[in-house]
Amino acid sequence: MSRNTGRGLSGMRDGVELTAYLVNESRARRPELAEDRLAGAWIPDGERGAVRELWDEYAAAVYAHDDLVVSLRGRVIADTLTRALAADPDTVLVVCGAGFSSYPWLLPFAASVEVDLPDMVAAKRRRAAELVDGGAAVDREVHHVAADLAREDDRKQLTATVRELAGGRPVAYVAEGVVFYLPPAEAEAVVTLGAGFGTTAVTAVSYWPAAAAGSTVLAAQRGWFRRRAVPADASYLTHDRLAALLGPGLEDVGPEDLQRRYLGKVEVSEAELIPEYVAVSWAAGNGAAG
């Protein structure tokens, strides 16, 4: 989840919003792995140099493998969404903590809802219009919704909005890079938000596992971001808790699993990475096979 990206990089340096461009820079550095042709395009030309400098600063202070982990995360989510569309081409996409993700423009969803904090939403809407007008991105039905997912009222309003837009069509729900920035109760509420949509076919959530709470790499990351107004506390989840929240048959994969899947080997051990896992839960009969 991102804050105030519309203020430009000078504003980004002071809070969580800097993660928006860092994610895109990471995916742009591994195009063959991320398979996100728009990753770099979201970064305005005038800020590319500063974003690269910021990425290098992060690499030196925390670790130099964000391009690997973030690209793997985006790839498995995109593949999951491709499966959802194959099961039903009329599927509606909902992405919480959307940042500058590309999913609605990479995949032909009937309609998409992107959710983030107000300034981020304004920046995303503006940049999307520029990319469409310039021919870099196709014109798609994308609804940009401003919401603070830590607020129950905002989550209720989002649920009502999605139910109305979906109109009984299946929903693919993604919460990417957001739940660990929320207090535990709110994090779990976001994990299960898709249940309220009524027709959710698949939920994909990225999270930090409780077993990795003592990771030295994660500690360095928390310290680096804390200087930029990120909350000191983080929420961690377990496979068992996610299975209790999302139901049986949960697919739960970490950085080493994804390296084996997409690279055929483990290039960097999990001990050296931010331990971000992706949990995928399919509704019965909705693309679970394969």
Side-chain angles (χ1 to χ4, degrees), residues 33 72 256-267:
L33 179 57
L72 288 168
E256 290 192 2
D257 303 312
L258 293 174
Q259 288 180 74
R260 293 187 189 97
R261 179 181 300 184
Y262 294 113
L263 300 175
K265 62 180 180 179
V266 175
E267 290 185 353

Side-chain angles (χ1 to χ4, degrees), residues 176-223:
E176 181 181 9
V178 60
V179 300
F180 30 75
Y181 292 124
L182 298 171
E186 287 75 9
E188 293 194 357
V190 171
V191 168
T192 57
L193 191 62
F197 302 156
T199 55
T200 295
V202 63
T203 292
V205 177
S206 72
Y207 75 99
W208 292 338
S215 163
T216 56
V217 179
L218 189 54
Q221 191 252 28
R222 297 299 295 167

Side-chain angles (χ1 to χ4, degrees), residues 123-202:
K124 181 65 171 291
R125 182 186 294 115
R126 184 167 54 249
R127 186 61 177 160
E130 292 171 352
L131 294 182
V132 170
D133 290 346
V138 295
D139 192 9
R140 294 267 166 80
E141 181 184 343
V142 182
H143 301 261
H144 303 278
V145 176
D148 184 344
L149 295 171
R151 292 173 49 87
E152 183 178 4
D153 287 349
D154 283 20
R155 295 194 299 270
K156 288 181 177 178
Q157 182 58 52
L158 173 61
T159 297
T161 298
V162 173
R163 289 179 72 96
E164 181 178 0
L165 176 66
R169 294 178 292 183
V171 174
Y173 172 58
V174 175
E176 181 181 9
V178 60
V179 300
F180 30 75
Y181 292 124
L182 298 171
E186 287 75 9
E188 293 194 357
V190 171
V191 168
T192 57
L193 191 62
F197 302 156
T199 55
T200 295
V202 63

